[in-house]
């Protein structure tokens, strides 16, 4: 079983819907991350959590709302998204936010209609 | 600002050929880390290697090897005797420390196709 799991793997939603993406890591790590991967653009860091505290918000629009209830779980709440938000959303974790390699989940492929 | 350039968007070779993926980076930091990740069709990024800025020794792991040249700000990745299973998108990344947390800056990726 992979160390970082994400659900759902695929999601189609309308612009008025509210949905949540879930990430769980089984590696005992303390830092978790959300990335966005759009077609023809580099991976973009969205949020960083260290010991459940948000340490980085990379100028992400408020229609994306992260939640980290504990070091093993990370959510991304979505509401009133735009079609340009369609992308692969990747979750990652690392032992600490300092210099460690990050381990990624399989991602959620999001399509906004 | 930190930047990673992978100039090769797509590479296609025949199985058993050697292939090198280029990575050039820009940073003003003296301490930094470089990474390579593999993204197969399943989507998840698979960690391949991490290198710190003070260690310029080349590294070999099986068919994979990495050439870190600080003088040219490059961190190239070579696959020897390529196999079909090596087909994937490969990302080079540079870390920067912002507010006590590491932020990875990724290149655009190189799509590698190994044909049988």
């Amino acid at each position: 079983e992979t160390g970082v799991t994400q659900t759902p793997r695929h999601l189609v939603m309308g612009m008025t819907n509210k949905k949540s993406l879930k990430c769980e890591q089984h590696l005992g790590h303390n830092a978790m991350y959300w990335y966005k991967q759009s077609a023809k653009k580099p991976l973009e860091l969205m949020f960083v959590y260290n010991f459940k505290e948000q340490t980085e918000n990379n100028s992400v629009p408020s229609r994306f709302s992260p939640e980290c209830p504990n070091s093993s779980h990370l959510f991304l709440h979505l509401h009133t998204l735009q079609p340009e938000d369609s992308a692969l959303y990747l979750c990652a974790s690392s032992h600490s936010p300092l210099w460690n390699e990050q381990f990624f989940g399989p991602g959620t492929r999001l399509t906004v209609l | 600002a930190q930047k990673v350039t992978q100039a090769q968007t797509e590479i296609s070779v025949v199985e058993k050929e050697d292939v090198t993926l280029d990575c050039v980076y820009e940073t003003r930091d003296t301490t930094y880390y470089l990474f390579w990740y593999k993204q197969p069709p399943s989507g998840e990024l698979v960690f391949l290697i991490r290198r710190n800025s003070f260690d310029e020794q080349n590294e070999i792991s099986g068919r994979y090897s990495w050439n870190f040249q600080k003088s040219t700000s490059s961190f190239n990745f070579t696959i020897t005797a390529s196999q079909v299973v090596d087909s994937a998108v490969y990302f080079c990344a540079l870390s920067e420390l912002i507010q006590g947390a590491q932020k990875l800056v990724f290149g655009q990726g190189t799509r590698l196709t190994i044909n049988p």
Side-chain angles (χ1 to χ4, degrees), chain A residues 1-50:
Chain A
E1 183 186 345
T2 182
V4 181
T5 58
Q6 290 186 243
T7 54
R9 294 294 308 276
H10 300 273
L11 178 62
V12 179
M13 59 186 291
M15 290 190 286
T16 58
N17 291 158
K18 289 184 180 181
K19 296 287 184 183
S20 295
L21 309 185
K22 178 183 176 182
C23 174
E24 183 173 0
Q25 58 96 0
H26 313 274
L27 301 168
H29 289 165
N30 299 308
M32 296 187 77
Y33 312 78
W34 278 117
Y35 286 86
K36 176 183 179 182
Q37 186 178 25
S38 306
K40 303 189 179 185
K41 288 181 72 175
L43 276 122
E44 303 171 80
L45 178 66
M46 300 175 72
F47 301 104
V48 179
Y49 276 83
N50 183 29

Side-chain angles (χ1 to χ4, degrees), chain A residues 29-88:
Chain A
H29 289 165
N30 299 308
M32 296 187 77
Y33 312 78
W34 278 117
Y35 286 86
K36 176 183 179 182
Q37 186 178 25
S38 306
K40 303 189 179 185
K41 288 181 72 175
L43 276 122
E44 303 171 80
L45 178 66
M46 300 175 72
F47 301 104
V48 179
Y49 276 83
N50 183 29
F51 288 98
K52 304 186 299 177
E53 299 297 321
Q54 187 180 126
T55 59
E56 173 87 5
N57 177 337
N58 201 25
S59 303
V60 180
S62 59
R63 57 185 184 271
F64 295 92
S65 174
E67 178 190 0
C68 189
N70 54 62
S71 293
S72 299
H73 294 86
L74 185 64
F75 296 89
L76 188 62
H77 304 299
L78 316 171
H79 63 98
T80 59
L81 294 191
Q82 305 297 313
E84 59 265 28
D85 296 322
S86 298
L88 180 68

Side-chain angles (χ1 to χ4, degrees), chain A residues 9 33 35 37 40-43 45 48 55-56 58 88 90 97-106, chain B residues 31-33 35 37 39 42-45 47 50 91 95-104 106-108:
Chain A
R9 294 294 308 276
Y33 312 78
Y35 286 86
Q37 186 178 25
K40 303 189 179 185
K41 288 181 72 175
L43 276 122
L45 178 66
V48 179
T55 59
E56 173 87 5
N58 201 25
L88 180 68
L90 290 159
L98 294 176
W99 307 129
N100 294 125
E101 55 269 32
Q102 295 177 18
F103 293 87
F104 285 78
Chain B
T31 301
Y32 53 90
Y33 279 78
F35 300 80
Y37 282 87
Q39 187 176 36
S42 53
E44 78 276 20
L45 272 78
F47 166 77
R50 178 184 67 162
F91 292 93
S95 64
E96 57 178 347
L97 204 58
I98 295 179
Q99 296 180 330
Q102 174 187 222
K103 175 181 176 178
L104 288 181
F106 285 86
Q108 292 270 20

Side-chain angles (χ1 to χ4, degrees), chain B:
Chain B
Q2 313 263 9
K3 184 179 178 182
V4 176
T5 302
Q6 294 179 255
Q8 305 148 309
T9 306
E10 295 189 31
I11 299 176
S12 181
V13 300
V14 177
E15 199 171 19
K16 297 184 184 177
E17 286 186 23
D18 299 347
V19 58
T20 296
L21 309 181
D22 298 333
C23 174
V24 175
Y25 63 92
E26 296 175 28
T27 180
R28 292 181 181 176
D29 294 343
T30 54
T31 301
Y32 53 90
Y33 279 78
L34 295 160
F35 300 80
W36 274 95
Y37 282 87
K38 173 183 179 180
Q39 187 176 36
S42 53
E44 78 276 20
L45 272 78
V46 178
F47 166 77
L48 295 178
I49 190 172
R50 178 184 67 162
R51 220 67 226 272
N52 77 55
S53 52
F54 298 106
D55 183 2
E56 288 194 68
Q57 278 194 340
N58 292 332
E59 182 155 341
I60 298 174
S61 175
R63 296 184 296 106
Y64 295 171
S65 62
W66 291 269
N67 184 353
F68 178 28
Q69 297 277 351
K70 208 167 180 178
S71 59
T72 57
S73 297
S74 65
F75 186 43
N76 297 337
F77 172 33
T78 297
I79 301 175
T80 303
S82 60
Q83 300 176 2
V84 173
V85 293
D86 296 326
S87 297
V89 181
Y90 290 85
F91 292 93
C92 179
L94 168 70
S95 64
E96 57 178 347
L97 204 58
I98 295 179
Q99 296 180 330
Q102 174 187 222
K103 175 181 176 178
L104 288 181
V105 177
F106 285 86
Q108 292 270 20
T110 297
R111 181 175 298 278
L112 177 64
T113 302
I114 310 297
N115 298 300

